[in-house]
Amino acid sequence: DADVTQTPRNRITKTGKRIMLECSQTKGHDRMYWYRQDPGLGLRLIYYSFDVKDINKGEISDGYSVSRQAQAKFSLSLESAIPNQTALYFCATRGRLVNTQYFGPGTRLTVL
Amino acid sequence: LAKTTQPISMDSYEGQEVNITCSHNNIATNDYITWYQQFPSQGPRFIIQGYKTKVTNEVASLFIPADRKSSTLSLPRVSLSDTAVYYCLVGDGSSNTGKLIFGQGTTLQVKP
């Protein structure tokens, strides 16, 4: 079984719709991250959480919100989706070694 | 994270050994060198990490010279399934966010 899972894997939605992307992990890590990846732009950090009560904005948090329901679960919401939020979204947990993170399989989101 | 420089792309054939070199001239004393692999539409995957000399695991070897200003990821006997983007990261993990910064990486194309 995968250590970091994401649902859904693919989603097509329309402008203005609210969307939730879910992430679960079985690695027992406290720190979790949401990134988006766009061609030519690399990975950009949306939100991160050090534990259930500690949630922080990343570099591109506008238009997004998150919820850390438990140590193992970290959800990303798009309150009102817009086309430039079309991207590949990754959830990750931070490992115990320096600069190690474990990524989920990604969610490909298309906003029409 | 220290700045790194890698070749943009490399080609190889099945069964060959592939060496990808990363330059990091301004590496700091506390920095570790970490390599990730990313397949299309999948999340980056941690491959190997080292501080000095040589590290080997079931996937790859990492060679780090004494001055630590560069490192070489060695993939033995590559197969078609090793076609991916390989990222070199250098840092001590001390940033407040723990965010990973992936550069352009090296796109490895393995041919039959």
Side-chain angles (χ1 to χ4, degrees), chain A residues 1-5 26:
Chain A
D1 288 338
D3 294 320
V4 183
T5 58
T26 59

Side-chain angles (χ1 to χ4, degrees), chain B residues 30-49:
Chain B
N30 295 330
D31 287 344
Y32 284 76
I33 300 157
T34 310
W35 285 80
Y36 284 79
Q37 173 192 57
Q38 185 176 23
F39 298 114
S41 297
Q42 294 187 29
R45 180 175 79 110
F46 169 82
I47 301 177
I48 197 167
Q49 184 178 83

Side-chain angles (χ1 to χ4, degrees), chain A residues 33 50 59 98-99 101 108, chain B residues 36 41 49 96-99:
Chain A
Y33 300 80
F50 287 169
E59 58 188 302
V98 169
N99 288 339
Q101 290 189 9
R108 182 169 295 282
Chain B
Y36 284 79
S41 297
Q49 184 178 83
N96 289 337
T97 68
K99 168 190 171 183

Side-chain angles (χ1 to χ4, degrees), chain B residues 4-26:
Chain B
T4 60
T5 302
Q6 308 173 229
I8 296 294
S9 63
M10 294 180 68
D11 288 339
S12 182
Y13 290 93
E14 284 190 291
Q16 290 187 332
E17 178 185 73
V18 171
N19 295 309
I20 305 174
T21 297
C22 179
S23 297
H24 28 81
N25 291 319
N26 59 341

Side-chain angles (χ1 to χ4, degrees), chain A residues 32-82:
Chain A
M32 298 186 72
Y33 300 80
W34 275 104
Y35 294 90
R36 65 176 279 179
Q37 188 172 40
D38 300 274
L41 293 179
L43 283 165
R44 292 184 290 169
L45 183 64
I46 306 172
Y47 268 95
Y48 60 103
S49 170
F50 287 169
D51 62 40
V52 175
K53 297 180 181 179
D54 186 354
I55 293 177
N56 305 278
K57 293 182 178 180
E59 58 188 302
I60 54 164
S61 59
D62 288 348
Y64 301 94
S65 63
V66 290
S67 173
R68 185 81 184 267
Q69 301 95 322
Q71 185 202 41
K73 296 184 181 296
F74 192 34
S75 301
L76 175 72
S77 294
L78 285 67
E79 300 302 326
S80 179
I82 56 178

Side-chain angles (χ1 to χ4, degrees), chain A residues 1-29:
Chain A
D1 288 338
D3 294 320
V4 183
T5 58
Q6 292 182 234
T7 56
R9 294 296 314 280
N10 290 282
R11 181 72 183 269
I12 300 173
T13 191
K14 295 181 178 180
T15 297
K17 295 290 186 182
R18 185 176 188 274
I19 297 298
M20 178 180 285
L21 309 183
E22 299 187 348
C23 175
S24 294
Q25 55 114 347
T26 59
K27 299 191 75 68
H29 294 158

